[in-house]
Amino acid sequence: MVDLPGDRAVQRALDLAKTAQWYRRFRLNETPGQSERYAEWASGVENDPEVLDLIIGLPRPKRQPNLVFACARLLGAPLAGYPVFRRWLIDSWPAVAAEARVRATQTNEPRRLTAIMPVLASIGPRVALLEVGASAGLCLYPDRYSYDYSGRRVDPVDGPSSVLLTTDSSGPVPLPTHPPEVVWRAGLDLNPLDVRNPADVRWLETLVWPEQAERRRRLDAAMAIVRRDPPLLRGGDAVAGLGALAALAPVGVPLVIVSPAVLVYLAPDRRAAFADAATGLGRWISLDGMGVLPRVDALLPQPPGPANFMVSLDGRPVARCGPHGQTLDWLA
Ligand SMILES: C[S@@+](CC[C@H](N)C(=O)[O-])C[C@H]1O[C@@H](n2cnc3c(N)ncnc32)[C@H](O)[C@@H]1O
């Protein structure tokens, strides 16, 4: 088929509108209470045809607001109001675009364990843990962190941790006395990050949004714990690499496969293939935004808001939570 100039103009107009919409959704759904700076930048981009035109030059997945802003900050974008930021972004676009092309958002958020740890404990006091989309593996250490569920505290067997994961919880969260013991831990990721590598650490820190000093402190403290006893991390795809890594797990303890905030990056048919593979190998805990696993969403008693995530065990919803584990609403 011949690609006519008129078709290209229509495609460009569509791309501009979709990208503006993406920045708008990001501003409305993700930034409130999290980052006024990102909210302002997103609002600026949404209404800035010149900047949108640069962004649509990137492959679709790389136009993600979080990725573009993080790459800009990595390269020294001033944490200033939109007019100053946009000037810098336009001047520095070739470098920002090159960075975005080789990177992906790999935000590693141990606070998501507030939602995962009680499910893990319901499986057994000792587990083998395999995380898919592990980033630097910080979510592989549920046994090394302390937790606070709206005033109810859970500490590791050997006492309070230097990392306290807090969540605003409701509903009958089944809390254990201590987090379960992880007898084996391993992570799979397209691009594993290493907490001993300063460049990886810098990227992980940049992925924390500008005003989130507490999150940044938590990240640094969790990285210190992981650095003392780094996990087994393998490079590979969620579906293609799962079986080989699972085969290394010890026998005699339940193997639990966790997939927090990763399935959204897989095409829908590959999410289904992953679900089949994970449930065939062991128990499967996932934490996903609404719409990522429609068959699981459909089992929720009432439709949740767009900013909600869902925790599920073996394809059945057990709780709703904030995207970073900051809230937890256990289903009765
Ligand atoms: C948003 S991060 C989540 C990291 C971690 N699970 C957490 O919750 O803190 C998503 C991770 O999934 C990885 N990823 C994306 N697509 C993947 C795939 N097809 N196979 C394996 N890992 C993938 C990315 O490299 C990234 O590190």
Side-chain angles (χ1 to χ4, degrees), residues 106-109 112 131 133 135 189-190 236-238 260-262 266:
Q106 295 197 261
T107 312
N108 206 178
E109 181 44 86
R112 292 193 176 114
E131 184 185 4
S135 184
D189 199 288
L190 282 181
D237 170 69
V262 58
L266 274 60

Side-chain angles (χ1 to χ4, degrees), residues 253-271:
V253 269
L255 170 64
V256 184
I257 295 162
V258 286
S259 51
V262 58
L263 299 182
V264 66
Y265 298 100
L266 274 60
D269 59 324
R270 305 209 47 259
R271 292 175 202 162

